[in-house]
Structure formats: C-alpha cells, structure tokens
mmCIF file of all heavy atoms in Angstrom:
data_model
loop_
_atom_site.group_PDB
_atom_site.id
_atom_site.type_symbol
_atom_site.label_atom_id
_atom_site.label_comp_id
_atom_site.label_asym_id
_atom_site.label_seq_id
_atom_site.Cartn_x
_atom_site.Cartn_y
_atom_site.Cartn_z
ATOM 1 N N ALA A 1 2.127 -17.483 130.702
ATOM 2 C CA ALA A 1 1.557 -18.591 131.472
ATOM 3 C C ALA A 1 2.082 -18.593 132.905
ATOM 4 O O ALA A 1 1.347 -18.902 133.850
ATOM 5 C CB ALA A 1 1.884 -19.919 130.784
ATOM 6 N N ALA A 2 3.373 -18.243 133.067
ATOM 7 C CA ALA A 2 3.970 -18.242 134.407
ATOM 8 C C ALA A 2 3.464 -17.084 135.250
ATOM 9 O O ALA A 2 3.345 -17.200 136.479
ATOM 10 C CB ALA A 2 5.494 -18.188 134.293
ATOM 11 N N LEU A 3 3.168 -15.937 134.603
ATOM 12 C CA LEU A 3 2.779 -14.741 135.357
ATOM 13 C C LEU A 3 1.280 -14.602 135.549
ATOM 14 O O LEU A 3 0.839 -13.769 136.344
ATOM 15 C CB LEU A 3 3.310 -13.486 134.643
ATOM 16 C CG LEU A 3 4.824 -13.324 134.574
ATOM 17 C CD1 LEU A 3 5.186 -12.069 133.785
ATOM 18 C CD2 LEU A 3 5.433 -13.256 135.969
ATOM 19 N N LEU A 4 0.492 -15.400 134.819
ATOM 20 C CA LEU A 4 -0.954 -15.215 134.871
ATOM 21 C C LEU A 4 -1.512 -15.426 136.277
ATOM 22 O O LEU A 4 -2.339 -14.640 136.751
ATOM 23 C CB LEU A 4 -1.630 -16.174 133.887
ATOM 24 C CG LEU A 4 -3.147 -16.028 133.748
ATOM 25 C CD1 LEU A 4 -3.502 -14.616 133.321
ATOM 26 C CD2 LEU A 4 -3.692 -17.035 132.756
ATOM 27 N N LYS A 5 -1.047 -16.470 136.965
ATOM 28 C CA LYS A 5 -1.574 -16.741 138.304
ATOM 29 C C LYS A 5 -1.092 -15.723 139.340
ATOM 30 O O LYS A 5 -1.906 -15.192 140.103
ATOM 31 C CB LYS A 5 -1.227 -18.168 138.715
ATOM 32 C CG LYS A 5 -2.016 -19.220 137.950
ATOM 33 C CD LYS A 5 -1.724 -20.621 138.463
ATOM 34 C CE LYS A 5 -2.558 -21.652 137.698
ATOM 35 N NZ LYS A 5 -2.293 -23.041 138.160
ATOM 36 N N PRO A 6 0.232 -15.430 139.418
ATOM 37 C CA PRO A 6 0.648 -14.470 140.457
ATOM 38 C C PRO A 6 0.209 -13.031 140.188
ATOM 39 O O PRO A 6 -0.077 -12.290 141.132
ATOM 40 C CB PRO A 6 2.181 -14.577 140.439
ATOM 41 C CG PRO A 6 2.520 -15.123 139.108
ATOM 42 C CD PRO A 6 1.394 -16.028 138.734
ATOM 43 N N LEU A 7 0.147 -12.606 138.920
ATOM 44 C CA LEU A 7 -0.187 -11.216 138.613
ATOM 45 C C LEU A 7 -1.656 -11.016 138.277
ATOM 46 O O LEU A 7 -2.182 -9.916 138.445
ATOM 47 C CB LEU A 7 0.664 -10.715 137.434
ATOM 48 C CG LEU A 7 2.168 -10.631 137.638
ATOM 49 C CD1 LEU A 7 2.836 -10.034 136.408
ATOM 50 C CD2 LEU A 7 2.514 -9.805 138.873
ATOM 51 N N GLY A 8 -2.298 -12.068 137.793
ATOM 52 C CA GLY A 8 -3.679 -11.929 137.352
ATOM 53 C C GLY A 8 -3.744 -11.259 135.986
ATOM 54 O O GLY A 8 -2.751 -10.757 135.462
ATOM 55 N N LEU A 9 -4.931 -11.254 135.409
ATOM 56 C CA LEU A 9 -5.097 -10.682 134.079
ATOM 57 C C LEU A 9 -4.787 -9.182 134.069
ATOM 58 O O LEU A 9 -4.255 -8.654 133.091
ATOM 59 C CB LEU A 9 -6.526 -10.929 133.582
ATOM 60 C CG LEU A 9 -6.791 -10.692 132.101
ATOM 61 C CD1 LEU A 9 -5.850 -11.503 131.242
ATOM 62 C CD2 LEU A 9 -8.238 -11.010 131.759
ATOM 63 N N GLN A 10 -5.096 -8.493 135.168
ATOM 64 C CA GLN A 10 -4.804 -7.067 135.209
ATOM 65 C C GLN A 10 -3.305 -6.806 135.151
ATOM 66 O O GLN A 10 -2.852 -5.802 134.569
ATOM 67 C CB GLN A 10 -5.411 -6.412 136.453
ATOM 68 C CG GLN A 10 -4.826 -6.866 137.773
ATOM 69 C CD GLN A 10 -5.561 -8.065 138.348
ATOM 70 O OE1 GLN A 10 -6.189 -8.814 137.619
ATOM 71 N NE2 GLN A 10 -5.476 -8.225 139.659
ATOM 72 N N GLY A 11 -2.506 -7.708 135.736
ATOM 73 C CA GLY A 11 -1.052 -7.562 135.670
ATOM 74 C C GLY A 11 -0.531 -7.763 134.260
ATOM 75 O O GLY A 11 0.401 -7.066 133.823
ATOM 76 N N ILE A 12 -1.120 -8.721 133.530
ATOM 77 C CA ILE A 12 -0.724 -8.947 132.137
ATOM 78 C C ILE A 12 -1.059 -7.720 131.293
ATOM 79 O O ILE A 12 -0.272 -7.287 130.445
ATOM 80 C CB ILE A 12 -1.420 -10.196 131.571
ATOM 81 C CG1 ILE A 12 -1.071 -11.434 132.414
ATOM 82 C CG2 ILE A 12 -1.040 -10.414 130.116
ATOM 83 C CD1 ILE A 12 0.396 -11.777 132.427
ATOM 84 N N PHE A 13 -2.237 -7.136 131.519
ATOM 85 C CA PHE A 13 -2.606 -5.907 130.815
ATOM 86 C C PHE A 13 -1.591 -4.794 131.106
ATOM 87 O O PHE A 13 -1.194 -4.033 130.217
ATOM 88 C CB PHE A 13 -3.999 -5.449 131.235
ATOM 89 C CG PHE A 13 -5.119 -6.126 130.504
ATOM 90 C CD1 PHE A 13 -6.185 -6.669 131.200
ATOM 91 C CD2 PHE A 13 -5.124 -6.208 129.120
ATOM 92 C CE1 PHE A 13 -7.237 -7.288 130.535
ATOM 93 C CE2 PHE A 13 -6.158 -6.823 128.449
ATOM 94 C CZ PHE A 13 -7.220 -7.358 129.151
ATOM 95 N N ALA A 14 -1.192 -4.686 132.381
ATOM 96 C CA ALA A 14 -0.239 -3.632 132.761
ATOM 97 C C ALA A 14 1.102 -3.837 132.067
ATOM 98 O O ALA A 14 1.734 -2.866 131.616
ATOM 99 C CB ALA A 14 -0.062 -3.622 134.279
ATOM 100 N N LEU A 15 1.555 -5.083 131.963
ATOM 101 C CA LEU A 15 2.810 -5.365 131.262
ATOM 102 C C LEU A 15 2.694 -5.010 129.771
ATOM 103 O O LEU A 15 3.651 -4.517 129.164
ATOM 104 C CB LEU A 15 3.180 -6.845 131.422
ATOM 105 C CG LEU A 15 3.677 -7.272 132.802
ATOM 106 C CD1 LEU A 15 3.910 -8.785 132.827
ATOM 107 C CD2 LEU A 15 4.975 -6.542 133.150
ATOM 108 N N ASP A 16 1.530 -5.269 129.189
ATOM 109 C CA ASP A 16 1.298 -4.908 127.797
ATOM 110 C C ASP A 16 1.410 -3.396 127.613
ATOM 111 O O ASP A 16 2.029 -2.905 126.655
ATOM 112 C CB ASP A 16 -0.081 -5.403 127.362
ATOM 113 C CG ASP A 16 -0.272 -5.328 125.858
ATOM 114 O OD1 ASP A 16 0.739 -5.182 125.137
ATOM 115 O OD2 ASP A 16 -1.415 -5.423 125.397
ATOM 116 N N LEU A 17 0.824 -2.643 128.528
ATOM 117 C CA LEU A 17 0.911 -1.187 128.462
ATOM 118 C C LEU A 17 2.360 -0.710 128.614
ATOM 119 O O LEU A 17 2.789 0.252 127.961
ATOM 120 C CB LEU A 17 0.044 -0.555 129.544
ATOM 121 C CG LEU A 17 -1.470 -0.665 129.324
ATOM 122 C CD1 LEU A 17 -2.220 -0.185 130.562
ATOM 123 C CD2 LEU A 17 -1.898 0.151 128.105
ATOM 124 N N LEU A 18 3.133 -1.397 129.461
ATOM 125 C CA LEU A 18 4.546 -1.045 129.624
ATOM 126 C C LEU A 18 5.312 -1.285 128.325
ATOM 127 O O LEU A 18 6.165 -0.472 127.931
ATOM 128 C CB LEU A 18 5.151 -1.871 130.764
ATOM 129 C CG LEU A 18 6.636 -1.641 131.053
ATOM 130 C CD1 LEU A 18 6.873 -0.194 131.474
ATOM 131 C CD2 LEU A 18 7.122 -2.593 132.150
ATOM 132 N N GLY A 19 4.994 -2.377 127.644
ATOM 133 C CA GLY A 19 5.642 -2.658 126.367
ATOM 134 C C GLY A 19 5.305 -1.607 125.323
ATOM 135 O O GLY A 19 6.171 -1.189 124.538
ATOM 136 N N ILE A 20 4.060 -1.169 125.292
ATOM 137 C CA ILE A 20 3.651 -0.138 124.342
ATOM 138 C C ILE A 20 4.366 1.178 124.644
ATOM 139 O O ILE A 20 4.813 1.887 123.731
ATOM 140 C CB ILE A 20 2.125 0.048 124.383
ATOM 141 C CG1 ILE A 20 1.437 -1.213 123.833
ATOM 142 C CG2 ILE A 20 1.693 1.276 123.594
ATOM 143 C CD1 ILE A 20 -0.054 -1.252 124.046
ATOM 144 N N ALA A 21 4.489 1.515 125.929
ATOM 145 C CA ALA A 21 5.194 2.735 126.308
ATOM 146 C C ALA A 21 6.656 2.679 125.865
ATOM 147 O O ALA A 21 7.229 3.677 125.401
ATOM 148 C CB ALA A 21 5.108 2.944 127.818
ATOM 149 N N THR A 22 7.280 1.501 125.965
ATOM 150 C CA THR A 22 8.660 1.328 125.516
ATOM 151 C C THR A 22 8.776 1.528 124.010
ATOM 152 O O THR A 22 9.713 2.162 123.516
ATOM 153 C CB THR A 22 9.172 -0.068 125.898
ATOM 154 O OG1 THR A 22 9.043 -0.257 127.313
ATOM 155 C CG2 THR A 22 10.627 -0.252 125.502
ATOM 156 N N ALA A 23 7.798 0.982 123.264
ATOM 157 C CA ALA A 23 7.807 1.138 121.812
ATOM 158 C C ALA A 23 7.668 2.607 121.420
ATOM 159 O O ALA A 23 8.357 3.096 120.508
ATOM 160 C CB ALA A 23 6.677 0.316 121.199
ATOM 161 N N VAL A 24 6.789 3.335 122.097
ATOM 162 C CA VAL A 24 6.594 4.761 121.795
ATOM 163 C C VAL A 24 7.867 5.551 122.107
ATOM 164 O O VAL A 24 8.296 6.412 121.315
ATOM 165 C CB VAL A 24 5.397 5.310 122.594
ATOM 166 C CG1 VAL A 24 5.332 6.834 122.502
ATOM 167 C CG2 VAL A 24 4.099 4.700 122.086
ATOM 168 N N ALA A 25 8.496 5.255 123.250
ATOM 169 C CA ALA A 25 9.731 5.959 123.616
ATOM 170 C C ALA A 25 10.831 5.688 122.600
ATOM 171 O O ALA A 25 11.600 6.598 122.238
ATOM 172 C CB ALA A 25 10.176 5.520 125.015
ATOM 173 N N THR A 26 10.915 4.457 122.112
ATOM 174 C CA THR A 26 11.924 4.121 121.107
ATOM 175 C C THR A 26 11.707 4.901 119.822
ATOM 176 O O THR A 26 12.661 5.431 119.223
ATOM 177 C CB THR A 26 11.875 2.610 120.800
ATOM 178 O OG1 THR A 26 12.071 1.875 122.016
ATOM 179 C CG2 THR A 26 12.963 2.222 119.812
ATOM 180 N N LEU A 27 10.457 5.017 119.380
ATOM 181 C CA LEU A 27 10.164 5.774 118.164
ATOM 182 C C LEU A 27 10.546 7.245 118.316
ATOM 183 O O LEU A 27 11.016 7.881 117.371
ATOM 184 C CB LEU A 27 8.678 5.669 117.825
ATOM 185 C CG LEU A 27 8.219 4.376 117.160
ATOM 186 C CD1 LEU A 27 6.698 4.352 117.046
ATOM 187 C CD2 LEU A 27 8.839 4.230 115.773
ATOM 188 N N LEU A 28 10.343 7.791 119.511
ATOM 189 C CA LEU A 28 10.653 9.195 119.738
ATOM 190 C C LEU A 28 12.157 9.450 119.806
ATOM 191 O O LEU A 28 12.623 10.550 119.498
ATOM 192 C CB LEU A 28 9.997 9.675 121.034
ATOM 193 C CG LEU A 28 8.460 9.722 121.019
ATOM 194 C CD1 LEU A 28 7.928 10.070 122.404
ATOM 195 C CD2 LEU A 28 7.952 10.727 119.985
ATOM 196 N N LEU A 29 12.941 8.433 120.182
ATOM 197 C CA LEU A 29 14.384 8.601 120.346
ATOM 198 C C LEU A 29 15.166 8.314 119.068
ATOM 199 O O LEU A 29 16.237 8.876 118.843
ATOM 200 C CB LEU A 29 14.884 7.688 121.470
ATOM 201 C CG LEU A 29 14.424 8.043 122.889
ATOM 202 C CD1 LEU A 29 14.866 6.965 123.872
ATOM 203 C CD2 LEU A 29 14.966 9.399 123.308
ATOM 204 N N VAL A 30 14.643 7.411 118.221
ATOM 205 C CA VAL A 30 15.377 6.986 117.026
ATOM 206 C C VAL A 30 15.036 7.899 115.849
ATOM 207 O O VAL A 30 13.852 8.122 115.560
ATOM 208 C CB VAL A 30 15.027 5.526 116.676
ATOM 209 C CG1 VAL A 30 15.689 5.115 115.367
ATOM 210 C CG2 VAL A 30 15.456 4.595 117.800
ATOM 211 N N PRO A 31 16.043 8.457 115.168
ATOM 212 C CA PRO A 31 15.745 9.301 113.994
ATOM 213 C C PRO A 31 15.181 8.453 112.855
ATOM 214 O O PRO A 31 15.763 7.440 112.468
ATOM 215 C CB PRO A 31 17.111 9.891 113.628
ATOM 216 C CG PRO A 31 18.115 8.953 114.205
ATOM 217 C CD PRO A 31 17.490 8.380 115.448
ATOM 218 N N ILE A 32 14.051 8.866 112.324
ATOM 219 C CA ILE A 32 13.383 8.120 111.255
ATOM 220 C C ILE A 32 13.322 9.000 110.016
ATOM 221 O O ILE A 32 12.763 10.095 110.058
ATOM 222 C CB ILE A 32 11.964 7.697 111.677
ATOM 223 C CG1 ILE A 32 12.046 6.732 112.864
ATOM 224 C CG2 ILE A 32 11.210 7.054 110.520
ATOM 225 C CD1 ILE A 32 10.709 6.320 113.413
ATOM 226 N N PRO A 33 13.927 8.552 108.908
ATOM 227 C CA PRO A 33 13.923 9.380 107.690
ATOM 228 C C PRO A 33 12.521 9.540 107.129
ATOM 229 O O PRO A 33 11.691 8.643 107.220
ATOM 230 C CB PRO A 33 14.815 8.573 106.722
ATOM 231 C CG PRO A 33 14.718 7.163 107.203
ATOM 232 C CD PRO A 33 14.578 7.248 108.698
ATOM 233 N N ASN A 34 12.295 10.695 106.549
ATOM 234 C CA ASN A 34 10.998 10.963 105.930
ATOM 235 C C ASN A 34 11.235 11.797 104.671
ATOM 236 O O ASN A 34 11.121 13.024 104.693
ATOM 237 C CB ASN A 34 10.081 11.716 106.904
ATOM 238 C CG ASN A 34 8.662 11.789 106.382
ATOM 239 O OD1 ASN A 34 8.069 10.783 106.043
ATOM 240 N ND2 ASN A 34 8.132 13.006 106.300
ATOM 241 N N PRO A 35 11.615 11.122 103.579
ATOM 242 C CA PRO A 35 11.957 11.863 102.355
ATOM 243 C C PRO A 35 10.772 12.660 101.831
ATOM 244 O O PRO A 35 9.616 12.295 102.034
ATOM 245 C CB PRO A 35 12.346 10.742 101.376
ATOM 246 C CG PRO A 35 11.687 9.519 101.902
ATOM 247 C CD PRO A 35 11.675 9.670 103.383
ATOM 248 N N LYS A 36 11.104 13.750 101.149
ATOM 249 C CA LYS A 36 10.055 14.587 100.581
ATOM 250 C C LYS A 36 9.351 13.843 99.448
ATOM 251 O O LYS A 36 10.009 13.178 98.645
ATOM 252 C CB LYS A 36 10.648 15.889 100.049
ATOM 253 C CG LYS A 36 11.243 16.770 101.137
ATOM 254 C CD LYS A 36 11.808 18.044 100.541
ATOM 255 C CE LYS A 36 12.397 18.930 101.639
ATOM 256 N NZ LYS A 36 12.984 20.177 101.071
ATOM 257 N N PRO A 37 8.031 13.909 99.398
ATOM 258 C CA PRO A 37 7.324 13.229 98.315
ATOM 259 C C PRO A 37 7.664 13.839 96.968
ATOM 260 O O PRO A 37 7.909 15.040 96.862
ATOM 261 C CB PRO A 37 5.843 13.447 98.672
ATOM 262 C CG PRO A 37 5.844 14.665 99.526
ATOM 263 C CD PRO A 37 7.133 14.652 100.284
ATOM 264 N N GLN A 38 7.701 12.984 95.942
ATOM 265 C CA GLN A 38 7.985 13.464 94.602
ATOM 266 C C GLN A 38 6.815 14.302 94.096
ATOM 267 O O GLN A 38 5.659 14.042 94.424
ATOM 268 C CB GLN A 38 8.218 12.280 93.654
ATOM 269 C CG GLN A 38 9.429 11.440 94.044
ATOM 270 C CD GLN A 38 9.605 10.258 93.118
ATOM 271 O OE1 GLN A 38 8.793 10.000 92.252
ATOM 272 N NE2 GLN A 38 10.690 9.532 93.310
ATOM 273 N N ALA A 39 7.164 15.298 93.291
ATOM 274 C CA ALA A 39 6.127 16.164 92.730
ATOM 275 C C ALA A 39 5.244 15.362 91.782
ATOM 276 O O ALA A 39 5.732 14.694 90.872
ATOM 277 C CB ALA A 39 6.775 17.333 91.988
#
C-alpha cells in the first residue's frame, strides 16, 4: 500500500520478480536431499 503510489503497479511487479529471483537463488544454493525411490 505504501509503495503503490510512488512505484506504480509496474514497480510492484518488479519487486515480485525480485522476490522470485531470490527464491530461485536460494533453492540453487541450499542442498536438498533426494532419496532414491524404492524399487
């Protein structure tokens, strides 16, 4: 609500994209276990 007027809707979209990029980078950096499926 505070950023909508100064940044406009395009700025909110850009911040959303920045958040998604952060989430993707975190997934790539954190080791995630992937056990072998049972036969």
Side-chain angles (χ1 to χ4, degrees):
L3 295 177
L4 184 58
K5 289 185 179 179
L7 296 184
L9 194 55
Q10 66 270 24
I12 302 298
F13 277 131
L15 287 176
D16 192 16
L17 289 172
L18 179 62
I20 292 170
T22 304
V24 169
T26 303
L27 282 173
L28 293 174
L29 292 174
V30 175
I32 296 176
N34 190 53
K36 295 180 180 179
Q38 297 178 355

